[in-house]
């Protein structure tokens, strides 16, 4: 796969007024491939915005470098910046100007002028579905509409790479859904490479081809969601609601012996398990396996052979929250 | 360069999109300038000074002295003798003569600059060559030379000289023809007539001699009170309001950083110098627009703004550059918009009066004039006054322009070194 972004020992150290140093970002190394959505996931204050700010040339690294399309952000900033669009967490627009005026101005800052610029502004306004409000001042827009213009500015010059720094912060669920759909659309329809920072595990899980988890300025994990859960040896959990009359310790031994990847099972007789399904007369069987969906057919076959009736099955895959918890000992939202 | 212009035009578009900015940029400066120009023109814009004369003698010799004083200077107005329909003497009840008490009271109240008392018996003393004392009252600094007193003394010198000449002539005549019976001088009437004639001749001869020093105004020949008032108010209010507007750019820069539009520019393929250049150009343009509106108003009103418009433009440009540079040198040190707003108002309201924007620096004590030149306003006002009042040209204001540009260079260097967008 072609590399769009490469970070080499990217670091940022701030000096406090008392002379002490704070390492906001510690020697991050990673590559982001063309056409993928890469999420940088971490709690507030983890160093996501500092990292994306260095990658975009907004702040200078104190160590290492970032390469955008092969161009060093420190040595060839103009070439690197031409390839990228930037959508900051804040609504970075002039509230006194109309949506169209904002788009026109920022388009000029990317070297676009005349009829090309006007045509592109029309396209972007249509894409963000604000053509009918284009002449209204930003100050009169709702939060969601401002976010859409904010995204529109980042798309004006058709960048190959888009940095999105927590673009759903502070907006309602409906507009959040719209932003997430837009991100996927940009990758799927326009082949854009997207670096998406978030502290929301659900967003990273939904959007990302790959995820980097950052905490205290360090990249502590990197990979697809599956790779990350494997990395921390988290197992899938398979919950069965069964007729407990055929259950025995021999059956438990057989399951562990014959089902590949099954590491342990737990049996709770009727009335002692999870009654959330309202099936109080049923027993609860919980099985743990590295790949739950692969183990599931074998478990059901063995239970059927033993005459144990399976009423329901639920597979719970470990999520990024679990990965973060395993890596840091803290919940993502702590 | 195109990006710099685009950034500046965008900033100007935002500035002018807010109605309040039109008021602070155009309406308020015009209103203040109009009011102060009118007030200064009437009150102290004129270089004429009022000299009250209390004529307690009332004779022809006293009248002659008053006439000579009136003719001695175009700057001194003798009150109440030269009062006019506009009551230039500021007389309360239209008096045609003043007593000593009235005159002292007027000096104390600032209605007059000085009082000269011609005592009763002055004419007799002049005629007989006896001594007569003329009292002079003033609130002037006794350590400073008084142009009014010098003018009065010059006139009295001539009167005294005529008396001395008459006495010498009479002594010579008496020596030549004697005073015995039969001599023409033996008759008292003839002696008196002869003495009067000799004194008149001596006075005429002395009056025909050119004065060595004459108290004149340094204002242009055709200067009116309108020119005097607005000649101070236009550049004065101009420098004040330009500082309000341009230093206010500190607040805008901090607001742009807060709303992240500045950072958005920083991630665009623009050099830092282009962003800085655009911001500088926008505030420089606002300052120049403000100056040009005020001077334009003066030109429309027919105020004499000197004969060197390009030199005026050069002083304006140097001053606006200096204030713009100050704005960009200070902005990186500001922690909040409130702090920046407070500092910009404080600087404008301190540097403007210190530098002579509200009143001419020349009327302040010498040490204040020295301190005042710590303010760029003082250098700009020096330049404007040289051009407006003294009819100077570009070569006459090169020092002022040079000082302002040098300060601008240093401040721009500081601003460019400390201008940060992302950190």
């Amino acid at each position: 796969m072609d590399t769009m972004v490469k970070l080499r020992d990217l670091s940022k150290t701030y000096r406090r007024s008392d002379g002490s140093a704070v390492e906001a970002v510690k020697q991050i190394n990673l590559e982001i491939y063309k056409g993928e959505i890469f999420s940088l996931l971490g709690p507030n204050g983890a160093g996501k915005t500092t990292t994306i700010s260095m990658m975009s040339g907004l702040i200078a690294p104190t160590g290492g470098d970032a390469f955008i399309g092969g161009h060093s952000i420190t040595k060839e900033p103009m070439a690197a910046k031409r390839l990228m669009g930037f959508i900051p967490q804040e609504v970075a627009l002039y509230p006194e100007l109309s949506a169209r005026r904002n788009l026109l101005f920022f388009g000029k800052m990317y070297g676009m002028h005349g009829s090309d610029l006007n045509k592109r502004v029309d396209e972007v306004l249509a894409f963000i579905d604000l053509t009918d409000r284009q002449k209204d001042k930003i100050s009169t827009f709702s939060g969601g509409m401002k976010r859409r213009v904010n995204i529109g500015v980042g798309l004006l010059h058709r960048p190959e790479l888009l940095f999105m720094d927590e673009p759903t912060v502070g907006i309602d669920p409906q507009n959040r859904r719209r932003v997430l759909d837009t991100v996927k659309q940009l990758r799927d329809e326009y082949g854009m490479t997207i670096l998406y920072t978030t502290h929301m595990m659900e967003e990273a899980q939904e959007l990302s081809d790959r995820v980097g988890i950052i905490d205290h300025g360090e990249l502590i994990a990197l990979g697809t969601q599956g790779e990350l859960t494997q990395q921390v040896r988290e197992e899938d959990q398979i919950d069965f609601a069964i007729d407990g009359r055929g259950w025995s310790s021999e059956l438990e031994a057989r399951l562990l012996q014959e089902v590949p990847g099954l590491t342990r099972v737990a049996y709770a007789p009727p009335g002692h398990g999870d009654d959330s399904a309202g099936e109080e007369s049923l027993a609860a069987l919980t099985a743990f396996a590295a790949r739950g969906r692969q183990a599931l057919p074998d478990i059901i076959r063995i239970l059927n052979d033993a005459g144990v009736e399976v009423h329901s099955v639920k597979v719970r895959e470990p999520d990024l929250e679990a990965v973060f918890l395993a890596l840091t000992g803290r919940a993502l939202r702590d | 360069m195109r990006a710099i212009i685009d950034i500046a035009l965008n900033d100007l578009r935002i500035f002018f999109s807010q109605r309040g900015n039109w008021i602070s940029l155009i309406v308020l400066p015009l209103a203040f300038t109009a009011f102060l120009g009118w007030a200064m023109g009437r009150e102290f814009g004129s270089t004429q000074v009022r000299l009250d004369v209390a004529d307690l003698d009332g004779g022809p010799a006293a009248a002659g002295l008053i006439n000579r004083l009136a003719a001695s200077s175009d700057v001194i107005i003798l009150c109440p003798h030269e009062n006019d329909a506009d009551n230039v003497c500021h007389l309360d009840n239209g008096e045609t003569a003043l007593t000593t008490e009235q005159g002292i009271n007027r000096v104390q109240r600032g209605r007059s600059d000085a009082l000269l008392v011609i005592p009763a018996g002055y004419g007799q003393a002049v005629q007989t060559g006896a001594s007569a004392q003329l009292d002079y009252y003033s609130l002037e600094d006794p350590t400073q030379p008084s142009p009014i007193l010098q003018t009065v003394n010059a006139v009295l010198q001539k009167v005294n000289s005529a008396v001395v000449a008459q006495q010498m002539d009479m002594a010579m005549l008496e020596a030549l023809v004697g005073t015995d019976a039969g001599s023409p001088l033996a008759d008292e009437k003839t002696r008196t007539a002869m003495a009067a004639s000799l004194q008149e001749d001596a006075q005429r001869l002395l009056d025909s001699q050119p004065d060595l020093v004459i108290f004149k105004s340094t204002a242009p020949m055709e200067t009116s009170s309108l020119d005097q008032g607005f000649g101070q108010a236009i550049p004065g209010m101009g420098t004040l309001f330009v500082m309000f507007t341009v230093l206010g750019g500190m607040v805008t820069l901090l607001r742009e950083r807060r709303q992240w539009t500045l950072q958005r520019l920083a991630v665009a393929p623009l050099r830092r110098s282009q962003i800085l250049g655009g911001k500088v150009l926008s505030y420089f343009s606002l300052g120049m627009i403000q100056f040009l509106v005020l001077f334009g108003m003066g030109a429309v009103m027919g105020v004499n703004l000197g004969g060197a418009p390009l030199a005026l433009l050069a002083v304006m440009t140097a001053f606006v550059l200096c204030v713009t540079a100050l704005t960009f040198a200070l902005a990186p040190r500001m922690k909040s918009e409130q702090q920046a707003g407070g500092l910009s108002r404080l600087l404008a309201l301190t540097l403007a009066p210190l530098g002579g924007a509200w009143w001419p620096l020349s009327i302040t004590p010498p040490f204040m004039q020295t301190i005042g030149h710590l303010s760029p306003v003082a250098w700009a006002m020096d330049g404007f006054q040289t051009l407006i009042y003294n009819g100077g040209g570009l070569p006459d204001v090169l020092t002022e322009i040079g000082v302002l540009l040098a300060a601008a260079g240093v401040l721009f260097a500081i601003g460019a070194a400390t201008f940060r967008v992302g950190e």
Side-chain angles (χ1 to χ4, degrees):
Chain A
M1 275 187 283
D2 293 335
T3 301
M4 187 72 217
V5 177
K6 189 187 285 184
L7 305 188
R8 284 291 169 264
D9 296 325
L10 192 69
S11 309
K12 184 69 184 180
T13 302
Y14 289 104
R15 292 272 163 206
R16 286 203 186 101
S17 53
D18 63 3
S20 61
V22 180
E23 284 186 272
V25 174
K26 301 169 188 172
Q27 295 186 315
I28 289 185
N29 289 283
L30 67 82
E31 291 183 8
I32 299 173
Y33 304 123
K34 278 189 179 172
E36 74 169 340
I37 297 176
F38 183 94
S39 288
L40 204 53
L41 176 70
N44 291 328
K48 302 185 298 293
T49 298
T50 305
T51 304
I52 207 170
S53 296
M54 286 191 283
M55 293 164 76
S56 60
L58 183 57
I59 60 175
T62 49
D65 205 347
F67 298 88
I68 311 296
H71 301 288
S72 160
I73 193 67
T74 57
K75 297 179 181 67
E76 310 162 82
M78 294 299 129
K81 286 177 178 179
R82 278 188 199 99
L83 297 175
M84 67 172 83
F86 186 80
I87 299 166
Q89 198 177 119
E90 289 75 10
V91 176
L93 301 168
Y94 295 104
E96 306 89 347
L97 300 181
S98 69
R100 188 176 190 87
R101 277 279 174 215
N102 269 283
L103 290 166
L104 284 170
F105 171 67
F106 285 112
K108 287 175 187 172
M109 295 301 100
Y110 281 87
M112 305 166 77
H113 289 94
S115 57
D116 285 349
L117 175 59
N118 272 302
K119 193 177 161 196
R120 181 60 185 157
V121 167
D122 289 339
E123 288 172 4
V124 169
L125 283 166
F127 182 77
I128 59 176
D129 199 17
L130 282 173
T131 303
D132 57 334
R133 297 288 306 272
Q134 61 177 297
K135 290 182 179 171
D136 294 343
K137 285 185 178 178
I138 294 294
S139 57
T140 65
F141 282 12
S142 68
M145 290 161 74
K146 288 176 185 172
R147 289 277 173 193
R148 277 144 65 190
V149 181
N150 206 32
I151 290 174
V153 170
L155 303 176
L156 270 170
H157 61 296
R158 299 184 183 87
E160 292 179 44
L161 169 67
L162 191 62
F163 291 133
M164 301 182 86
D165 188 13
E166 306 216 36
T168 57
V169 167
I171 58 174
D172 59 64
Q174 191 183 352
N175 278 301
R176 180 165 166 261
R177 167 52 41 205
R178 192 171 189 144
V179 170
L180 297 181
D181 290 344
T182 302
V183 174
K184 285 188 273 191
Q185 188 184 1
L186 290 170
R187 175 194 59 188
D188 297 340
E189 294 181 18
Y190 300 96
M192 212 173 266
T193 307
I194 295 166
L195 170 59
Y196 189 98
T197 73
T198 181
H199 67 276
M200 299 176 79
M201 179 265 298
E202 301 85 353
E203 289 187 1
Q205 284 188 171
E206 178 180 341
L207 293 174
S208 315
D209 296 303
R210 289 192 306 138
V211 178
I213 297 179
I214 188 169
D215 188 42
H216 294 307
E218 275 185 285
L219 190 68
I220 56 175
L222 176 66
T224 62
Q225 190 177 329
E227 288 168 346
L228 288 174
T229 52
Q230 289 296 307
Q231 198 176 326
V232 296
R233 298 179 184 277
E234 287 290 326
E235 295 176 319
D236 292 349
Q237 177 181 326
I238 313 162
D239 296 323
F240 296 90
I242 59 172
D243 180 353
R245 280 172 291 186
W247 181 257
S248 64
S249 55
E250 289 78 15
L251 181 57
E252 180 181 344
R254 188 183 165 196
L255 284 169
L256 289 170
Q257 190 179 350
E258 294 186 14
V259 179
L262 190 68
T263 57
R264 61 195 163 103
V265 291
Y267 174 75
H272 292 85
D274 180 3
D275 297 334
S276 57
E279 298 173 281
E280 292 179 21
S281 61
L282 297 175
L285 176 65
T286 305
F288 295 91
R291 286 183 167 76
R293 289 180 194 282
Q294 287 177 15
L296 187 58
D298 288 334
I299 296 172
I300 290 173
R301 177 179 53 77
I302 290 168
L303 289 174
N304 282 335
D305 288 350
V308 174
E309 192 179 345
V310 176
H311 288 255
S312 68
V313 178
K314 191 192 293 179
V315 179
R316 293 186 193 178
E317 292 174 346
D319 56 21
L320 294 172
E321 181 76 46
V323 174
F324 189 83
L325 185 64
L327 289 171
T328 66
R330 290 180 288 117
L332 195 53
R333 288 177 180 79
D334 282 354
Chain B
M1 191 62 199
R2 186 164 188 172
I4 291 175
I5 293 170
D6 284 335
I7 291 171
L9 287 176
N10 190 62
D11 282 357
L12 292 176
R13 177 176 285 118
I14 292 168
F15 185 90
F16 286 112
S17 71
Q18 294 163 287
R19 197 175 300 164
N21 286 341
W22 283 91
I23 293 171
S24 61
L25 187 81
I26 309 285
V27 178
L28 281 179
L30 283 179
F32 270 81
T33 303
F35 174 75
L36 285 174
W38 175 80
M40 287 179 180
R42 290 190 66 82
E43 289 300 319
F44 57 85
S46 170
T47 52
Q48 290 182 318
V49 292
R50 287 180 287 275
L51 172 62
D52 281 1
V53 178
D55 181 6
L56 307 183
D57 181 78
L65 174 62
I66 290 167
N67 288 338
R68 286 185 187 90
L69 280 171
S72 65
S73 169
D74 59 351
V75 176
I76 295 175
I77 297 172
L78 292 184
C79 296
H81 309 82
E82 294 184 312
N83 198 22
D84 59 12
D86 291 334
N87 193 20
V88 67
C89 286
H90 295 185
L91 294 168
D92 290 331
N93 302 309
E95 295 94 337
T96 54
L98 294 171
T99 64
T100 305
E101 290 72 25
Q102 284 175 319
I104 291 172
N105 182 262
R106 278 168 51 78
V107 171
Q108 287 172 335
R109 288 163 58 205
R111 293 297 178 96
S112 174
D113 297 286
L115 166 69
L116 182 70
V117 180
I118 303 175
Y122 168 78
Q124 180 68 28
V126 168
Q127 203 169 14
T128 60
S131 163
Q133 180 179 313
L134 281 73
D135 291 331
Y136 179 80
Y137 297 87
S138 167
L139 294 178
E140 291 162 335
D141 182 352
T143 65
Q144 299 293 320
S146 162
I148 310 171
L149 185 57
Q150 285 175 359
T151 303
V152 170
N153 278 333
V155 172
L156 286 173
Q157 187 78 38
K158 286 186 177 179
V159 173
N160 289 340
S161 298
V163 171
V164 170
Q166 172 246 338
Q167 287 175 332
M168 287 177 66
D169 289 348
M170 284 299 293
M172 286 173 69
L173 269 176
E174 286 170 0
L176 286 170
V177 299
T179 54
D180 299 335
S183 164
L185 296 179
D187 176 44
E188 188 58 30
K189 277 189 176 177
T190 307
R191 273 179 65 87
T192 304
M194 182 65 75
S197 174
L198 285 171
Q199 189 178 335
E200 267 179 38
D201 288 344
Q203 190 69 61
R204 193 163 43 247
L205 282 170
L206 284 165
D207 287 344
S208 66
Q209 296 297 309
D211 292 302
L212 293 177
V213 178
I214 299 172
F215 181 21
K216 282 193 173 293
S217 165
T218 54
M221 301 282 277
E222 299 301 322
T223 297
S224 65
S225 62
L226 178 84
D227 293 333
Q228 289 290 309
F230 281 89
Q232 166 69 24
I234 289 173
M237 289 299 101
T239 50
L240 172 67
F241 279 96
V242 162
M243 288 217 293
F244 272 130
T245 301
V246 178
L247 288 171
M250 283 196 283
V251 180
T252 310
L253 281 171
L254 287 164
R255 185 165 61 238
E256 279 224 48
R257 184 168 292 157
R258 174 174 52 78
Q259 69 188 18
W260 262 70
T261 43
L262 202 56
Q263 288 90 326
R264 189 153 228 164
L265 289 177
V267 298
L270 298 168
R271 283 184 294 279
R272 204 169 66 104
S273 58
Q274 288 175 298
I275 300 172
L276 183 62
K279 298 294 173 192
V280 167
L281 180 60
S282 65
Y283 281 92
F284 172 76
S285 304
L286 285 174
M288 290 303 290
I289 289 169
Q290 199 156 38
F291 256 143
L292 291 173
V293 165
L294 289 178
F295 277 85
M297 177 193 77
V300 168
M301 289 175 66
V303 176
N304 182 358
L305 296 172
L310 284 179
L312 270 181
L313 199 62
V315 175
M316 285 181 221
T317 304
F319 178 74
V320 178
L321 276 175
C322 185
V323 179
T324 308
L326 180 62
T327 302
F328 282 83
L330 291 174
R333 285 156 181 77
M334 296 296 106
K335 302 277 186 249
S336 67
E337 290 163 44
Q338 289 76 15
Q339 186 189 19
L343 182 67
S344 66
R345 285 188 290 275
L346 179 71
L347 281 174
L349 291 173
T350 306
L351 294 178
L354 190 67
W358 293 2
W359 50 76
L361 211 52
S362 56
I363 67 169
T364 63
F367 78 94
M368 279 305 297
Q369 294 182 27
T370 305
I371 292 172
H373 280 80
L374 292 173
S375 164
V377 174
W379 295 95
M381 290 303 292
D382 284 353
F384 286 131
Q385 284 166 357
T386 300
L387 297 170
I388 294 172
Y389 289 141
N390 303 340
L394 187 60
D396 303 311
V397 291
L398 286 179
T399 302
E400 287 79 5
I401 291 171
V403 169
L404 289 169
L405 289 180
V410 171
L411 292 167
F412 268 133
I414 294 170
T418 54
F419 180 69
R420 293 281 180 273
V421 176
E423 295 177 85

